[in-house]
Amino acid sequence: MTPAVLLAILCLRLISSSPAPDPVLDAEWQKWKIKYEKTYSLEEEGQKRAVWEQNMKKIKLHNGENGLGKHGFTMEMNAFGDMTIEEFRKLMIEIPIPTVKKENSVQKRQAVNVPNFINWRKRGYVTPVRRQGRCNVCWAFSVAGAIEGQMFQKTGQLIPLSVQNLVDCSRPQGNLGCYLGNTYLALQYVKENGGLESEATYPYEEKEGSCRYHPDNSTASITDFEFVPKNEDALMNAVATLGPIFVAIDARHESFLFYRNGIYHEPNCSSSVVTHAMLLVGYGFVGEESDGRKYWILKNSMGNKWGNRGYMKIAKDQGNHCGIATYALYPRV
């Protein structure tokens, strides 16, 4: 038997091992592939379709239950529809949390009255949602977002900052480009380096490269950065008095991957293990303040086709849900 015949038999076995596709979903499958520009080889098509169908069924089941009041949020099929949860979790690497050696000044502000609702996006502090793509650099997007907000407060100008600058140049501090990064180390780089370029002069490429930072193009700098104490009261005070800040959450769940709208609450979330960096831009509540459902507002870096145009609401004052207050930092400019 020739190698070509063996390969053909193997391909047929792979195809035949996939469950038969549900013809009712044919139109949705084709529309989804066109929307997200998905193309597969002959041997991939059946396997990807089977994963997509399983995800679609889970999403529809969740949303059906949500209509009955079981959940407080909805899910939807998105660009990750052909990915298993195991494949997604390979992208979610536990973020190491540095040991804090000193108390920071946020603790001293906790007696200050703060508003019950705030959304820095509506006040001009937040740049448009961007997409990290195949490069695992949520840490760099959240750092850039936190500095962008502080620079807007200082100068009145909202300028998108270079994520690629952080990806390429913060390796000496210990970051590992598209594989793994830490906001603490990224902020160290910006502080020690003296500045950060804008997206316009150092655009994002979805891959690692050599450091091409040029001091003449520096658009933003920081004087220092500080941790927020690990509790939601301190986090609320920090957001209310400082503006958008960096946080990280446990995002290893299908409910996060396919989140669409509403107040996210995942029973299996960890409050101590965080895997995905995001930008905290505000908070609020639904219903009466005393007994309503409270939420944090988070900006993601998975593009504006994820969640609610790139944003999500997550449960607030629910025991540090998904580790929202476990690792929070903010820069000083």
Side-chain angles (χ1 to χ4, degrees), residues 84 90 100 193:
T84 66
K90 289 179 181 178
V100 184
N193 184 60

Side-chain angles (χ1 to χ4, degrees), residues 292-316:
R293 300 187 64 209
K294 300 177 182 178
Y295 58 82
W296 299 105
I297 307 170
L298 294 170
K299 178 188 179 184
N300 203 355
S301 53
M302 292 181 173
N304 57 20
K305 292 180 180 179
W306 178 90
N308 187 0
R309 299 181 181 180
Y311 287 82
M312 80 178 303
K313 293 177 180 178
I314 189 171
K316 179 177 179 288

